[in-house]
Amino acid sequence: ALCAVIGAGAMKVVGASTDQFFVGGRNMPLFVVAATLASQSLDSNAALGNIDLGYFYHTWDGACLPIGLGLSLILNAIFFAYKLNEMRLLTLPDLFARKFGPLSECIFAVLSITSFCCLLGGNLVGCGRIIGYVFGINVVAGIWITTLAVWVYTVAGGIVSVAYTDVAQAAIGWTGLVAGSIYVLTTMPQAPGVSPAYPLGDSQQVSSQMGSADALAPIPNAIVLNWATIIVLGFGNLCALDFQARVFGSRTPRIAVIGCIIGGLVSWTIGVLFSFTSGSIRALYGPSSPYAEFVADSCSNDITIIGCFGPGCNATVVSGVPTCGEWKPDPFAALKFWTCTKPNCHYMFDFDGSGGLGALQDGFFPMNSFIGGGGVIG
């Protein structure tokens, strides 16, 4: 409803002006530029996708998303934002038209539209999952609802409605992400303890994960993929339509630069802080939790029941004996964690459990509705 109101108001501001529709009349102030850039960076991919990866694998696997996106904004501030704003471009392909000619413009336009459709698809799926889970409807229906809502306010007011909607969403969402992260980090278990799934226990995060391939031993550490993710997001998003449209619409080149820096720092700070909550999700919904599910006989169907090693070993091998099971991560674990579907949940302002349930003593750790709602909106 709020987005619809902003879109309707923006439609009157934009009118028939293409300059207003695409770049907001090149008059966006710093607070709008910074908020909308950071909001674009902290989208559903970098928020919900972030803690999903941290839950499926480990904390820094998810943190790579906001780190890479924040890096892109910082690089843009250092090398490109000032000059791009001075050029008074309408769309990013205009840059290629001026520098390399119309053929380059057409090729880049096709590539950018294709890549942006993939980005948009990821965001729509993320929002659709949230809507589908919260309201108990099919995820596909949630995606279509999200698509319609975004289409209406975007078509109505262009970058003006999108930017000011981002400001409103940032005010609510960033507060929810920060408050929710602090609440989780101070009241809930930070990582799984010692169990058959974690013989030595787990930790909230492993500081050497981004520097050592053996940081998670004996579990493989995807260090190459993580660094590749940061590099691809950091440099690839310099050609992102959503980032550069905000740069083009900034009131001055200086505002464009400062807005990118603020957006990058916000992405790093809030995104990485939110990543740390994935340790709590692993603790409550991971392979050592009461809700874990496994795929039987997924490691090997042959088991050595009399073991020996080396030449001349005559170990007895029996086929078809159950050995071990691969853990099946719950695709809705993050949403279950940030909402409460039990008959009894912590009340709106029951931060310490004094409302009657106790300080998170229930086995399901019911989330506080006020905090959890803010986290989901974020």
Side-chain angles (χ1 to χ4, degrees):
L2 177 62
C3 294
V5 171
I6 294 175
M11 184 166 57
K12 293 187 175 182
V13 173
V14 170
S17 170
T18 55
D19 208 51
Q20 286 282 0
F21 187 87
F22 284 104
V23 291
R26 309 182 195 278
N27 197 38
M28 289 196 290
L30 178 59
F31 82 93
V32 174
V33 174
T36 190
L37 282 170
S39 294
Q40 289 302 119
S41 180
L42 287 172
D43 57 11
S44 62
N45 288 315
L48 181 59
N50 173 356
I51 55 176
D52 271 346
L53 286 173
Y55 161 69
F56 292 162
Y57 304 107
H58 219 274
T59 302
W60 290 104
D61 296 281
C64 289
L65 297 180
I67 290 174
L69 291 165
L71 173 64
S72 180
L73 288 174
I74 299 298
L75 291 175
N76 201 40
I78 295 171
F79 297 107
F80 301 109
Y82 196 97
K83 184 64 177 177
L84 289 175
N85 182 270
E86 280 189 326
M87 294 176 72
R88 299 184 66 81
L89 301 166
L90 191 64
T91 65
L92 198 54
D94 289 350
L95 172 65
F96 288 80
R98 294 189 193 181
K99 294 293 184 180
F100 308 109
L103 177 60
S104 176
E105 177 188 22
C106 292
I107 293 174
F108 179 79
V110 172
L111 293 175
S112 60
I113 290 172
T114 303
S115 62
F116 195 77
C117 284
C118 297
L119 172 64
L120 178 61
N123 282 316
L124 292 177
V125 169
C127 292
R129 285 181 60 205
I130 294 174
I131 291 176
Y133 179 80
V134 171
F135 294 101
I137 61 177
N138 186 276
V139 173
V140 175
I143 293 172
W144 279 110
I145 292 171
T146 304
T147 303
L148 179 62
V150 172
W151 180 83
V152 167
Y153 76 75
T154 302
V155 170
I159 191 66
V160 176
S161 61
V162 172
Y164 283 91
T165 299
D166 284 344
V167 173
Q169 292 170 345
I172 301 171
W174 296 357
T175 303
L177 291 177
V178 172
S181 298
I182 294 173
Y183 180 72
V184 169
L185 296 176
T186 54
T187 61
M188 295 191 177
Q190 300 306 296
V194 176
S195 68
Y198 296 97
L200 300 178
D202 192 17
S203 58
Q204 179 195 69
Q205 60 88 28
V206 178
S207 57
S208 60
Q209 189 183 352
M210 297 303 296
S212 171
D214 299 321
L216 303 179
I219 301 171
N221 179 23
I223 183 172
V224 175
L225 293 178
N226 288 343
W227 278 109
T229 297
I230 292 174
I231 293 170
V232 168
L233 290 175
F235 288 92
N237 276 280
L238 293 173
C239 290
L241 297 174
D242 51 347
F243 282 173
Q244 300 301 5
R246 277 79 177 163
V247 171
F248 301 161
S250 300
R251 184 174 293 166
T252 66
R254 186 168 179 269
I255 286 177
V257 172
I258 296 174
C260 285
I261 293 173
I262 294 174
L265 294 177
V266 168
S267 300
W268 283 343
T269 304
I270 297 180
V272 174
L273 175 67
F274 193 56
S275 302
F276 286 175
T277 66
S278 60
S280 298
I281 304 176
R282 289 196 305 276
L284 300 182
Y285 294 94
S288 60
S289 75
Y291 315 102
E293 295 183 8
F294 298 87
V295 180
D297 295 338
S298 53
C299 298
S300 172
N301 284 329
D302 295 333
I303 183 171
T304 302
I305 60 172
I306 300 177
C308 61
F309 302 92
C313 174
N314 295 315
T316 301
V317 178
V318 180
S319 299
V321 176
T323 55
C324 61
E326 178 187 7
W327 172 51
K328 293 170 57 179
D330 184 346
F332 291 97
L335 292 175
K336 290 178 180 178
F337 178 80
W338 284 99
T339 57
C340 179
T341 56
K342 299 197 72 179
N344 294 318
C345 301
H346 286 282
Y347 303 116
M348 180 75 71
F349 295 106
D350 178 25
F351 299 111
D352 60 358
S354 59
L357 287 177
L360 294 171
Q361 294 175 355
D362 185 280
F364 211 158
F365 282 79
M367 174 61 71
N368 176 283
S369 58
F370 181 67
I371 295 294
V376 170
I377 292 173

